[in-house]
Amino acid sequence: PALVLEQWINSKLKSTNWSDASDDRMIPRMLTYLSEIWDNFPEMTYLFLACSLLYIKKEARQMAAELWIQTNASQQMDNVLLGHCLGKLQHGEYAPMKRFTDLLNNRMWNISTTHNQGLEMLLSEMIPLMNDQPIKGTRKVLEIYKELLTISNSKATVEVITKLEIWKSVASLKKVAKAIAQM
């Protein structure tokens, strides 16, 4: 499916602020198809999934989250690659962070230990790739990340600590960034 997804992303996915009826129907269909055939896919498939996790329509985001849940349960999800794609999208302020944090809170977090570990890997890859000027909603991502680290008794990666050093100058992030760095 990577070639089809690449063509679609190149032609349609300029911004998540657009919405057209045919695309609104196509995304859930493609997510359903991917959930049936999921395998060791290349980066373009992960980029499509990342875009779907940030898509304007809630149904598509929920289906993307279900695909993530299913593939993590079967240990087929490359959370590092998905986190990389999400980090790059958020670096470019592709979509409001609230779409993603709401999805994390309502669908993806505290499902199981395996899912929490996958989410920790995803966020560990995503956070360092985000813009040095954090977008609105970044604090919530950091709070979720901090909780995941606490639950798993882990420490933040060197790359995350480096990004937190940059973000410590932002008043709204200072407290949570310091807490994560001291864990």
Side-chain angles (χ1 to χ4, degrees):
L3 181 59
V4 173
L5 294 174
E6 181 177 358
Q7 291 173 341
W8 186 79
I9 288 169
N10 283 332
S11 68
K12 300 284 188 179
L13 230 41
K14 307 283 188 233
S15 165
T16 58
N17 292 328
W18 59 269
S19 181
D20 111 356
S22 67
D23 292 323
D24 290 346
R25 287 188 303 274
M26 194 286 281
I27 291 173
R29 287 180 187 152
M30 184 55 92
L31 290 167
T32 299
Y33 174 66
L34 287 174
S35 71
E36 293 169 0
I37 65 160
W38 192 267
D39 199 3
N40 186 21
F41 290 125
E43 186 173 358
M44 195 54 64
T45 308
Y46 283 87
L47 178 58
F48 177 79
L49 180 56
C51 291
S52 299
L53 288 167
L54 302 172
Y55 192 64
I56 194 166
K57 298 292 184 180
K58 187 176 182 180
E59 176 192 8
R61 290 194 309 269
Q62 290 175 341
M63 289 182 73
E66 290 303 317
L67 176 58
W68 179 84
I69 291 166
Q70 170 190 325
T71 54
N72 269 283
S74 61
Q75 298 183 344
Q76 292 180 300
M77 176 57 63
D78 184 344
N79 286 295
V80 172
L81 183 53
L82 182 59
H84 178 83
C85 292
L86 283 165
K88 289 293 191 177
L89 289 171
Q90 292 302 60
H91 177 83
E93 299 183 34
Y94 180 74
M97 186 67 80
K98 183 166 177 26
R99 290 182 194 167
F100 185 61
T101 56
D102 286 351
L103 197 61
L104 288 177
N105 277 327
N106 298 328
R107 293 273 186 182
M108 299 169 72
W109 187 23
N110 277 337
I111 295 167
S112 72
T113 302
T114 301
H115 289 88
N116 283 348
Q117 290 168 346
L119 197 53
E120 182 183 329
M121 287 191 303
L122 186 152
L123 294 177
S124 292
E125 183 68 22
M126 178 182 145
I127 292 168
L129 296 173
M130 292 170 60
N131 202 317
D132 288 346
Q133 292 297 320
I135 63 175
K136 184 178 178 181
T138 299
R139 188 181 94 234
K140 188 66 179 169
V141 169
L142 292 179
E143 289 170 350
I144 293 169
Y145 183 65
K146 180 180 172 279
E147 285 297 316
L148 288 166
L149 292 175
T150 301
I151 291 168
S152 66
N153 200 23
S154 300
K155 294 189 181 294
T157 64
V158 172
E159 295 82 7
V160 170
I161 299 293
T162 302
K163 182 59 75 172
L164 295 177
E165 287 298 321
I166 296 168
W167 286 347
K168 278 185 180 177
S169 61
V170 179
S172 64
L173 302 180
K174 192 175 203 171
K175 184 177 177 181
V176 69
K178 185 178 178 182
I180 292 170
Q182 292 177 345
M183 293 181 83

